[in-house]
Amino acid sequence: MVWLGEAASIPRLLAKAVYGLPELHREELRGAKLIAVPGCMATAAIISLAPIVKASLIDTDRIVVDAKISSSGAGAHAPRLDLHPFRTYVIRPYEVVHHRHTAEIEQELGLLINRRVRVAFTPHAVDLVRGILTTSHTWLVKDVSEPDIWRVYRSMYGNEPFIRLVKDRAGFQRYPDVKYVIGSNLVDIGFEIDNRLGRLVILSAIDNLMKGASGQAVQAMNVALGFEETTALNQVPLYPV
Amino acid sequence: MVWLGEAASIPRLLAKAVYGLPELHREELRGAKLIAVPGCMATAAIISLAPIVKASLIDTDRIVVDAKISSSGAGAHAPRLDLHPFRTYVIRPYEVVHHRHTAEIEQELGLLINRRVRVAFTPHAVDLVRGILTTSHTWLVKDVSEPDIWRVYRSMYGNEPFIRLVKDRAGFQRYPDVKYVIGSNLVDIGFEIDNRLGRLVILSAIDNLMKGASGQAVQAMNVALGFEETTALNQVPLYPV
Amino acid sequence: MVWLGEAASIPRLLAKAVYGLPELHREELRGAKLIAVPGCMATAAIISLAPIVKASLIDTDRIVVDAKISSSGAGAHAPRLDLHPFRTYVIRPYEVVHHRHTAEIEQELGLLINRRVRVAFTPHAVDLVRGILTTSHTWLVKDVSEPDIWRVYRSMYGNEPFIRLVKDRAGFQRYPDVKYVIGSNLVDIGFEIDNRLGRLVILSAIDNLMKGASGQAVQAMNVALGFEETTALNQVPLYPV
Amino acid sequence: MVWLGEAASIPRLLAKAVYGLPELHREELRGAKLIAVPGCMATAAIISLAPIVKASLIDTDRIVVDAKISSSGAGAHAPRLDLHPFRTYVIRPYEVVHHRHTAEIEQELGLLINRRVRVAFTPHAVDLVRGILTTSHTWLVKDVSEPDIWRVYRSMYGNEPFIRLVKDRAGFQRYPDVKYVIGSNLVDIGFEIDNRLGRLVILSAIDNLMKGASGQAVQAMNVALGFEETTALNQVPLYPV
């Protein structure tokens, strides 16, 4: 299945491009001349699923990624359907089974285990300007406890400057929520084990204009050019907004 | 697992109550003295999944229901977390694995096939006042085409006054979206077959204060008392809002 | 000053048109063949100010009308500035001193007293899809009490089917607010006397797609054709939305 | 008229407090031990009106300040009326004639000309979390041109680090709008001359949680303690949000 027809037309460039996700491709990015910046929803899904896939904890043939995305993802030349009266007060599913970000997610997760991974991806437009939340419903293939999952994330992302693990039993922020990352380059990741069904739910929130677009591009450029990776990316989230 | 502790304390009443979903229990509702009105998210999930489960088209051990819900679902005595500055600009997952509506969904779907059904249910609060969208990710156990699915829905709901099947390849409303049901007692149902993965995605939108609450209560009462079922429920959706 | 250049080009038709505001022109509307439907903000301003102007209670040379308007007023072919990411989170003043609705307001209020009335009108786009609120700041030329103002409104609008006087010292709805008229053809009017400054503040809320547009057109048509004036206009407001 | 009963009870402290508006009281703030931070709407009104009042360009007996304010101004312990379902979709006038910020505005503007100034102030709650816009409708007492007004603002605020003059005939940002200041300590000021009526409309936008609250407090503290005035306040606005 061809996902991005236009890109396939310049295979010579494609072969040289590095996928601009520093958390997974930091070494290849150093000195890179051509960087392919990941899609916004792909970023949230890949970063939050990578440690779990790599640790072989879940059934990689049935990963459901249910995404919720804001209006700025459509860009400044959006169609009439994105005029304010039509784009407000929506929970609008679109490209329900063949969104092109699916290809990136399957490619990147598959590379981690050298095996095909199948992702059932469905996006929904919601009435916000910024922010993406991905809810990944996965099925465990091993008995795991909460501390096990924590360890998997910490061992892979313990030193990452932009990743936060979010999980609490009380208070305002018990799981990732776009409200807590707006304006920042952060990726908030959380999870919950559903012992009854053997399900592992993985949640991830980003600001699609930062970690989902230009913020991530700057981060990748910083790595490519040998700058401090967090240069120009230390904005704290604006809260409440 | 006990889902609703408080209800379990009055088993004598429970035994007499009819589940107030006319689309599934119309006959039992006629003359009923005690009606248990379904939960708002349960309503959207059950009505949209029932025909597919009944037709034995999907794996009933792995039904994912990813729900998006508005703020009015929390009622007028909501916690501080539901003050405007905190409840806006959210995509907030909550009760990620044990929401009490799960029990109703499993019970009602199971009754259709006299077998246990497992539903992996996860709700998300979004920044709207009214409306629920459920996205059900299911796996097909048979080869089906789009017309097959249409037939399944039409045969069960062809004469239902409040159910609309929504599916188009162009235009504004290609799938169910809360924007098109606000203020009405309608249930919009749509679907998409994912041939690549053998997935069937089922979408359903309601106004949680109407079909998800008082509208449905009136509808059930109309049936119970022998009134015309649509009495007082002919409001068309307010669009755009 | 020419306000509506295009209209001036068909004076023959203009002379025949009746201004479609039934509250002020009911008799002329009976049997009318050509009806000019008022602008949305003009409707809210004129209806709320008319009784006070007619009663000669205020300085008609310094009437400030500060209007707040929703996005649906711009229609379905709005400019790029009205795309969702740009049209949300705004309190955007526009046409600050020469909005064309000014002409209608001055004309209609002037006709009531056969004298020129000057209206300082300024609109602001706010982040809603429906609804207009006008806040009129006026200066009293007589000593009046609250009951006096009530009497002025009641004597003119006591029998109007779509006008509500809203004024309370406690509870949720103390003054007009668009939240309470959405989906209806109502005009909510309220006021407050500022004894310290001799100011009278007059507030008015309508749904701009109903009383501010098609609802009012239907109402005027009902009068013109001799139908019951409220035909097809009995929608109650949808609350909360 | 007593505006702030509680404050009047500690006159000894009041006498020592400096009004924490650096643009007007920078010299008194140096070394100050007690600082009274201005109200959020008062800040926007005073800063935008001060140059015009000081230059004696307008009738200071009839200044209308029509304010639009977001929900975060009510704080974290807001009443039930501020729950999300009730606080969304509003243009809600409140304290229409006696809001306590009136006193601050009159005091500060009066000090500039050693004469009483009368401000007709009316606030409206709108459906945003952050941001205030004030629209001041004033009447000119002299013949002035646009360049004259520009000169008045530039001569007073030409070197102010947080004040921007916003006025353009085309493009997205023709006047101040809260959308362009969110997350920053900026005050955007704009104006329009209404030659027809001799009116001068003055517009001002701030983020009420920054320049309208803690941002301004930090700015005043910086001056008081001899720090660089912009320390910790260089956040650029987050756009779009």
Side-chain angles (χ1 to χ4, degrees):
Chain A
M1 179 166 288
V2 174
W3 295 90
L4 291 165
E6 60 280 36
S9 64
I10 40 168
R12 198 171 44 87
L13 290 181
L14 264 185
K16 288 185 188 165
V18 177
Y19 194 67
L21 203 60
E23 288 79 4
L24 296 188
H25 297 279
R26 190 167 282 119
E27 292 314 310
E28 300 153 71
L29 279 168
R30 299 199 200 285
K33 297 288 188 229
L34 186 63
I35 300 171
V37 180
C40 54
M41 291 185 285
T43 295
I46 295 167
I47 291 181
S48 61
L49 285 164
I52 299 300
V53 167
K54 201 173 168 191
S56 299
L57 295 185
I58 58 169
D59 178 351
T60 50
D61 278 337
R62 285 205 182 174
I63 298 173
V64 171
V65 177
D66 190 290
K68 295 87 179 167
I69 182 168
S70 304
S71 65
S72 59
H77 293 278
R80 185 163 157 237
L81 190 57
D82 285 333
L83 282 173
H84 186 273
F86 306 129
R87 185 60 180 73
T88 56
Y89 229 109
V90 302
I91 310 175
R92 182 201 295 168
Y94 69 101
E95 296 179 36
V96 168
V97 301
H98 287 123
H99 193 281
R100 63 184 196 169
H101 284 186
T102 310
E104 293 176 55
I105 304 171
E106 293 193 347
Q107 167 193 293
E108 289 298 309
L109 296 180
L111 283 174
L112 293 167
I113 52 171
N114 291 313
R115 212 174 49 226
R116 195 172 62 181
V117 167
R118 293 170 181 281
V119 171
F121 180 77
T122 300
H124 305 73
V126 295
D127 186 3
L128 299 176
V129 169
R130 287 183 181 228
I132 286 171
L133 188 96
T134 59
T135 308
S136 300
H137 305 269
T138 70
W139 279 270
L140 290 161
V141 293
K142 292 185 187 164
D143 251 13
V144 292
S145 64
E146 278 203 12
D148 294 335
I149 307 287
W150 278 101
R151 264 190 296 274
V152 165
Y153 279 108
R154 282 188 179 134
S155 74
M156 187 157 171
Y157 294 146
N159 297 312
E160 286 297 334
F162 297 115
I163 295 182
R164 299 192 301 193
L165 298 183
V166 173
K167 187 158 169 45
D168 212 339
R169 300 226 171 274
F172 272 31
Q173 194 187 6
R174 304 181 192 186
Y175 298 108
D177 178 343
V178 299
K179 194 168 186 76
Y180 301 96
V181 297
I182 300 299
S184 79
N185 201 50
L186 295 169
V187 186
D188 277 1
I189 302 175
F191 67 90
E192 199 67 68
I193 299 173
D194 182 349
N195 285 313
R196 195 177 68 96
L197 299 181
R199 178 175 52 137
L200 174 64
V201 182
I202 298 162
L203 302 153
S204 181
I206 61 170
D207 178 337
N208 60 302
L209 294 184
M210 291 293 292
K211 186 64 180 172
S214 52
Q216 179 143 271
V218 169
Q219 184 186 354
M221 181 193 71
N222 286 341
V223 176
L225 299 179
F227 300 158
E228 175 66 38
E229 190 168 333
T230 57
T231 302
L233 296 172
N234 285 313
Q235 298 87 342
V236 293
L238 190 65
Y239 177 88
V241 80
Chain B
M1 181 168 287
V2 175
W3 296 90
L4 290 165
E6 61 279 36
S9 62
I10 42 169
R12 197 172 43 87
L13 289 180
L14 263 185
K16 289 186 188 165
V18 178
Y19 194 67
L21 201 62
E23 288 78 4
L24 297 188
H25 297 278
R26 189 167 281 118
E27 292 315 310
E28 300 152 69
L29 280 168
R30 299 197 200 284
K33 297 286 188 231
L34 185 64
I35 300 172
V37 181
C40 53
M41 292 184 284
T43 295
I46 294 166
I47 291 181
S48 61
L49 284 164
I52 299 300
V53 167
K54 200 173 168 191
S56 299
L57 296 185
I58 58 168
D59 178 352
T60 51
D61 278 338
R62 286 205 182 172
I63 298 173
V64 171
V65 178
D66 190 289
K68 295 86 180 166
I69 183 167
S70 303
S71 65
S72 59
H77 293 279
R80 186 164 156 236
L81 189 57
D82 285 332
L83 283 172
H84 186 273
F86 306 129
R87 185 62 180 70
T88 56
Y89 229 109
V90 301
I91 310 174
R92 183 202 293 169
Y94 69 100
E95 296 180 37
V96 169
V97 301
H98 287 122
H99 192 280
R100 62 186 197 168
H101 285 185
T102 309
E104 293 176 55
I105 305 171
E106 293 193 347
Q107 166 192 294
E108 289 298 308
L109 296 180
L111 284 172
L112 293 167
I113 52 171
N114 290 314
R115 212 176 47 226
R116 194 173 64 180
V117 167
R118 294 172 180 279
V119 172
F121 180 76
T122 300
H124 305 73
V126 295
D127 187 2
L128 300 175
V129 169
R130 285 181 182 232
I132 286 172
L133 187 97
T134 59
T135 308
S136 299
H137 305 269
T138 70
W139 278 269
L140 291 161
V141 293
K142 290 183 187 166
D143 250 11
V144 291
S145 65
E146 278 203 12
D148 294 334
I149 307 286
W150 278 100
R151 264 189 297 274
V152 165
Y153 279 108
R154 281 187 180 134
S155 74
M156 187 158 172
Y157 295 145
N159 296 314
E160 286 297 334
F162 297 114
I163 294 182
R164 300 192 301 192
L165 297 183
V166 174
K167 187 158 167 47
D168 211 339
R169 300 226 171 273
F172 272 30
Q173 194 187 6
R174 305 181 191 185
Y175 298 108
D177 179 343
V178 299
K179 192 167 189 78
Y180 302 96
V181 297
I182 300 299
S184 79
N185 200 48
L186 295 169
V187 185
D188 278 1
I189 302 176
F191 67 90
E192 198 67 67
I193 299 173
D194 182 350
N195 285 313
R196 195 177 68 96
L197 299 182
R199 177 174 55 135
L200 175 64
V201 182
I202 299 162
L203 301 153
S204 181
I206 61 170
D207 178 338
N208 59 302
L209 294 184
M210 291 293 292
K211 186 64 180 172
S214 53
Q216 179 144 272
V218 170
Q219 184 186 354
M221 181 193 72
N222 286 342
V223 176
L225 299 180
F227 300 158
E228 175 66 40
E229 188 168 333
T230 57
T231 302
L233 296 172
N234 284 315
Q235 298 88 342
V236 292
L238 189 65
Y239 177 88
V241 81
Chain C
M1 181 167 287
V2 175
W3 295 91
L4 290 166
E6 60 280 34
S9 63
I10 41 169
R12 199 172 43 88
L13 289 180
L14 264 184
K16 289 185 189 167
V18 178
Y19 194 67
L21 201 63
E23 288 79 4
L24 297 188
H25 297 277
R26 189 167 282 118
E27 292 315 310
E28 300 152 72
L29 280 168
R30 299 198 201 284
K33 297 287 187 231
L34 185 64
I35 299 172
V37 181
C40 53
M41 292 184 284
T43 295
I46 294 166
I47 291 182
S48 60
L49 284 164
I52 299 300
V53 167
K54 201 173 167 191
S56 299
L57 296 185
I58 58 168
D59 177 352
T60 50
D61 278 337
R62 286 206 182 171
I63 298 173
V64 171
V65 178
D66 190 290
K68 296 86 181 166
I69 182 166
S70 303
S71 65
S72 60
H77 292 279
R80 185 163 156 237
L81 189 58
D82 285 333
L83 282 172
H84 185 274
F86 306 128
R87 185 62 179 72
T88 56
Y89 229 110
V90 301
I91 310 174
R92 183 202 294 169
Y94 69 101
E95 296 180 37
V96 169
V97 301
H98 288 122
H99 192 281
R100 62 185 197 168
H101 285 186
T102 309
E104 293 177 55
I105 305 171
E106 293 192 348
Q107 166 193 293
E108 290 297 309
L109 297 180
L111 284 172
L112 294 167
I113 52 171
N114 290 314
R115 212 175 48 227
R116 194 173 63 179
V117 167
R118 293 171 180 281
V119 172
F121 180 76
T122 300
H124 305 73
V126 295
D127 187 2
L128 299 175
V129 169
R130 287 182 182 233
I132 286 172
L133 187 97
T134 58
T135 309
S136 299
H137 305 269
T138 70
W139 278 270
L140 291 161
V141 293
K142 291 183 186 166
D143 251 11
V144 291
S145 65
E146 278 203 12
D148 294 334
I149 307 286
W150 278 101
R151 264 190 297 273
V152 165
Y153 279 108
R154 283 189 179 132
S155 74
M156 187 157 172
Y157 295 145
N159 296 314
E160 285 297 333
F162 297 115
I163 295 183
R164 301 192 300 193
L165 298 183
V166 173
K167 188 158 169 46
D168 211 339
R169 300 226 171 274
F172 271 31
Q173 194 187 4
R174 304 181 192 187
Y175 298 108
D177 178 343
V178 298
K179 193 168 188 78
Y180 301 96
V181 297
I182 300 299
S184 79
N185 200 49
L186 296 168
V187 186
D188 277 1
I189 302 176
F191 68 89
E192 198 67 68
I193 299 173
D194 183 350
N195 286 313
R196 194 177 68 96
L197 299 182
R199 178 174 54 136
L200 174 65
V201 182
I202 298 162
L203 301 153
S204 181
I206 61 170
D207 179 337
N208 59 302
L209 294 184
M210 291 293 292
K211 186 64 180 171
S214 52
Q216 179 143 272
V218 170
Q219 184 186 353
M221 182 192 71
N222 286 341
V223 176
L225 299 180
F227 300 158
E228 175 66 40
E229 188 167 334
T230 57
T231 302
L233 296 173
N234 285 315
Q235 298 87 342
V236 292
L238 189 66
Y239 177 88
V241 81
Chain D
M1 180 168 287
V2 174
W3 295 91
L4 291 165
E6 60 278 39
S9 64
I10 41 168
R12 197 171 45 85
L13 289 181
L14 263 185
K16 288 186 188 165
V18 177
Y19 194 67
L21 202 62
E23 288 78 4
L24 296 189
H25 297 279
R26 191 167 282 119
E27 292 314 310
E28 300 153 71
L29 279 169
R30 299 199 199 285
K33 298 286 188 231
L34 186 63
I35 299 172
V37 181
C40 54
M41 291 184 284
T43 295
I46 295 167
I47 291 181
S48 61
L49 285 165
I52 299 300
V53 167
K54 200 174 168 191
S56 299
L57 296 185
I58 58 169
D59 178 351
T60 51
D61 278 338
R62 285 205 183 174
I63 298 173
V64 171
V65 178
D66 190 289
K68 295 86 179 166
I69 182 167
S70 303
S71 66
S72 60
H77 293 279
R80 185 163 157 238
L81 189 57
D82 285 334
L83 282 172
H84 185 273
F86 306 128
R87 185 60 180 74
T88 56
Y89 229 108
V90 301
I91 310 175
R92 182 201 294 168
Y94 69 102
E95 297 180 35
V96 168
V97 301
H98 288 122
H99 192 281
R100 62 184 195 168
H101 285 187
T102 310
E104 294 177 55
I105 304 172
E106 293 193 347
Q107 167 192 293
E108 289 298 309
L109 297 180
L111 284 173
L112 293 167
I113 51 171
N114 290 314
R115 213 177 46 228
R116 195 173 62 179
V117 167
R118 292 170 181 282
V119 172
F121 180 77
T122 300
H124 305 73
V126 295
D127 186 2
L128 298 176
V129 170
R130 287 183 182 229
I132 286 171
L133 188 96
T134 59
T135 308
S136 299
H137 305 269
T138 70
W139 278 271
L140 290 161
V141 293
K142 292 185 187 165
D143 251 12
V144 292
S145 64
E146 278 203 12
D148 294 335
I149 307 286
W150 277 101
R151 264 190 296 274
V152 164
Y153 279 108
R154 282 189 179 134
S155 74
M156 187 157 171
Y157 294 146
N159 296 312
E160 286 297 335
F162 297 114
I163 295 183
R164 299 192 301 193
L165 298 183
V166 173
K167 187 158 169 46
D168 212 339
R169 299 225 171 274
F172 272 31
Q173 194 188 5
R174 304 181 192 185
Y175 298 108
D177 178 343
V178 299
K179 193 168 187 77
Y180 301 96
V181 297
I182 300 299
S184 79
N185 201 50
L186 295 169
V187 185
D188 278 0
I189 303 175
F191 68 90
E192 199 67 68
I193 299 173
D194 183 349
N195 284 314
R196 195 177 69 96
L197 300 181
R199 177 175 54 136
L200 174 64
V201 181
I202 298 162
L203 301 153
S204 181
I206 61 169
D207 178 338
N208 61 302
L209 294 184
M210 291 294 292
K211 185 64 180 172
S214 53
Q216 179 144 272
V218 170
Q219 184 186 353
M221 181 193 72
N222 286 341
V223 175
L225 299 180
F227 300 159
E228 175 66 39
E229 189 168 333
T230 57
T231 301
L233 296 173
N234 285 313
Q235 298 87 342
V236 292
L238 190 65
Y239 177 88
V241 81

